[in-house]
Amino acid sequence: MIETGKTAAHACGSTRYVTRADLVRSAAMLGAAYTFNDSAPADERVLHGQFDTLRLRPGLILHAACVQDLRTMATSNQLDPGVKIVLLVDGATDLSFGHHRFQLGPCGADPAQRGGGALVNLAEEDLFSRRWQAGRAERKVSLTLTPEWMEEGGLATHGDHGALRAFCREHLSRRPWTLSARARGLARQILEPASFLPGLERLRLEARCIELAAEALGAIGDAGPARGGLRAVDRRRLCRLEELLRAAGNAEMSMAGIARELGTNPVSLQALTRQAWGCSVFGRLRTLRLERARDALLDGASVGEAAAVAGYAAATNFATAYRKHFGTTPRQAARTRTDCEFVAMAR
């Protein structure tokens, strides 16, 4: 964890094992009373990967994680007031702010939430909880914008931000937030390795976080559902599309056939997926195939076998696509599996 006034070399820090005591220390920047639903020594390792919480400036806090759960359990803590922004660029997570539950990420359990992020306001202290699952991985960016930060920026008082003022006054208010390609790109940049000297790197992170905050807060507007979310019929259509794409495997699919199955036309369907997911229909299909390949690697498949799962005839083309999407190579994913097996044997 990095406190105010110290420099950060990388948003996620170095790859390491995170203990229960580390979690308690990190959570202290965001609230209090971090608790576990079970009992174990404070030095027990519960996460492996890159994990850190940084106060970039007063009122702007970044939590970045590229980790894998080593335990199945539940944790909770009291969060201080503020706007909470959460998005995943890979993997899945299961968390709650008060009574609002979010199952986020491309591999999330709820298909309707896979293309979205969490955008919630805490006008007062409330409970945050996370449900852990051994072996589950996530690459996550979480921002906290305190009331003081919002006020200093003029966002909570400006006459043109009536919807935002109302959002910040109401406890546990939330808005639908469909992640754009830009939002995902900013999150990936936040999670990528340091590219500047420490002082300048901190400025880079702050700039990207402010851009991401602006992208998320832009979902809050006076125009209502047309700007903040999707029609019910479009949400149902996206869920059905997700089912079709997941069931397709490596089978050939035509855009006309998919649109006909969903009761729409190719142009309207492409526009809907770009709005909701930030990509085309076949872009989403490629992502799903790469995710299956990653799961195969974590289950012990070779790089060649994983390439076949993803529909690539050449392992080199597969490795290029895999690195572009996940920010790591197939061989590094296989090493992550080996590390986790080592941890399991050690325990």
Side-chain angles (χ1 to χ4, degrees), residues 109-128:
D110 183 356
Q113 296 190 53
R114 288 177 186 145
L119 179 54
V120 182
N121 179 61
L122 303 184
E124 59 192 54
E125 289 186 2
D126 211 323
L127 190 70
F128 170 81

Side-chain angles (χ1 to χ4, degrees), residues 203-218:
L203 289 176
R204 183 191 74 86
L205 284 175
E206 183 178 345
R208 296 297 179 269
C209 288
I210 291 174
E211 287 184 81
L212 183 58
E215 183 82 12
L217 296 177

Side-chain angles (χ1 to χ4, degrees), residues 47-337:
L47 287 174
H48 180 255
Q50 299 169 322
F51 176 95
D52 228 324
T53 304
L54 298 78
R55 184 178 286 110
L56 295 173
R57 67 164 51 219
L60 175 60
I61 302 172
L62 164 66
H63 173 68
C66 308
V67 295
Q68 185 173 51
D69 291 353
L70 302 180
R71 287 290 310 272
T72 297
M73 61 179 180
T75 56
S76 63
N77 63 304
Q78 288 291 125
L79 291 182
D80 295 331
V83 174
K84 305 294 180 178
I85 300 169
V86 183
L87 75 159
L88 271 72
V89 297
D90 186 31
T93 196
D94 186 350
L95 49 84
S96 296
F97 294 97
H99 59 272
H100 293 317
R101 183 175 183 180
F102 298 89
Q103 295 175 292
L104 304 175
C107 301
D110 183 356
Q113 296 190 53
R114 288 177 186 145
L119 179 54
V120 182
N121 179 61
L122 303 184
E124 59 192 54
E125 289 186 2
D126 211 323
L127 190 70
F128 170 81
S129 58
R130 181 177 185 266
R131 288 157 287 276
W132 299 53
Q133 181 179 323
R136 186 179 64 196
E138 65 178 47
R139 295 179 67 212
K140 177 177 69 181
V141 170
S142 177
L143 298 180
T144 296
L145 314 177
T146 69
E148 293 76 18
W149 189 87
M150 299 287 287
E151 183 174 355
E152 182 180 342
L155 295 173
T157 57
H158 197 285
D160 291 337
H161 295 295
L164 183 55
R165 291 201 310 274
F167 177 81
C168 292
R169 284 196 301 265
E170 181 183 349
H171 182 56
L172 287 179
S173 57
R174 60 173 177 166
R175 289 294 185 275
W177 180 31
T178 300
L179 301 181
S180 65
R182 174 172 170 74
R184 294 181 189 277
L186 287 168
R188 288 192 176 97
Q189 290 176 43
I190 290 168
L191 295 172
E192 70 186 10
S195 53
F196 295 96
L197 293 173
L200 295 177
E201 178 63 17
R202 191 181 190 89
L203 289 176
R204 183 191 74 86
L205 284 175
E206 183 178 345
R208 296 297 179 269
C209 288
I210 291 174
E211 287 184 81
L212 183 58
E215 183 82 12
L217 296 177
I220 304 169
D222 292 316
R227 290 184 62 186
L230 298 169
R231 298 178 303 164
V233 64
D234 288 333
R235 290 196 297 270
R236 290 193 295 270
R237 188 165 281 149
L238 286 170
C239 288
R240 176 59 181 148
L241 174 60
E242 183 84 1
E243 292 172 357
L244 288 175
L245 297 180
R246 287 185 176 276
N250 287 331
E252 293 294 325
M253 303 184 75
S254 73
M255 192 65 223
I258 296 171
R260 188 167 51 250
E261 177 72 21
L262 297 175
T264 186
N265 62 75
V267 174
S268 296
L269 186 59
Q270 291 283 31
L272 175 61
T273 60
R274 289 189 184 282
Q275 177 190 358
W277 296 338
C279 65
S280 68
V281 171
F282 288 108
R284 179 60 181 157
L285 180 60
R286 284 191 296 272
T287 294
L288 292 173
R289 288 173 174 172
L290 286 170
E291 288 171 355
R292 283 202 303 273
R294 180 204 53 202
D295 292 341
L297 287 168
L298 294 176
D299 286 339
S302 67
V303 173
E305 290 168 338
V309 168
Y312 286 84
T316 52
N317 293 340
F318 165 65
T320 299
Y322 191 98
R323 183 182 182 88
K324 182 177 180 181
H325 183 74
F326 293 114
T328 186
T329 67
R331 295 191 184 281
Q332 287 171 325
R335 282 200 294 272
T336 298
R337 180 200 70 234

